[in-house]
Amino acid sequence: NAKVAPRVIQGIGAANAMTADLADALKSQIYQCWSPPVGAPNAGDLVVDFDLSLNPDGTPGRATSDALSSGNPYTRAAAEAARRAIFQCQPYKLPADRYSQWREINPLRFDPRQMMNQ
């Protein structure tokens, strides 16, 4: 009874099929360190977007999100957990010859529902 869902990868390079592998590589490295908060009454409160810039050595240069100053405590906690994961898992192993495609990731979405394949 499996259903096919649309797959959208945003934010890396031209956001096309050629850069989708870079998005997957980066997300898999970050998600290993990510522990999203639990217990939010609305799962949508835990979805946060980051604007991320990376240095050529794979370390984060900037990681910002409006969710870090959210009035919703669940959203703020989710953003803080995502930010910790971004800095905890560095440096990222991405192909140096494709740096122009992964130096800016806007947005990098953290969605616990995707993590659980829901």
Side-chain angles (χ1 to χ4, degrees), residues 2-3 6 8 11-13 19 22-23 42 44 49 58 60 67 76 82 92 99 102 104 108 116:
K3 61 182 178 179
V8 177
I12 294 184
T19 58
L22 291 173
N42 178 6
D49 290 334
R76 196 170 50 251
Y92 299 105
Y99 176 64
W102 55 262
E104 294 284 332
L108 175 62
M116 303 301 290

Side-chain angles (χ1 to χ4, degrees), residues 16-88:
N16 57 29
M18 186 172 95
T19 58
D21 63 324
L22 291 173
D24 289 340
L26 180 63
K27 284 183 177 183
S28 70
Q29 291 175 62
I30 293 174
Y31 281 14
Q32 290 177 21
C33 298
W34 182 42
S35 296
V38 295
N42 178 6
D45 290 342
L46 301 178
V47 178
V48 295
D49 290 334
F50 270 81
D51 290 339
L52 181 64
S53 68
L54 295 168
N55 299 316
D57 64 356
T59 58
R62 175 184 47 82
T64 60
S65 175
D66 292 341
L68 289 165
S69 59
S70 172
N72 182 323
Y74 294 107
T75 302
R76 196 170 50 251
E80 290 167 358
R83 191 173 200 289
R84 275 192 305 275
I86 288 169
F87 286 96
Q88 184 178 5

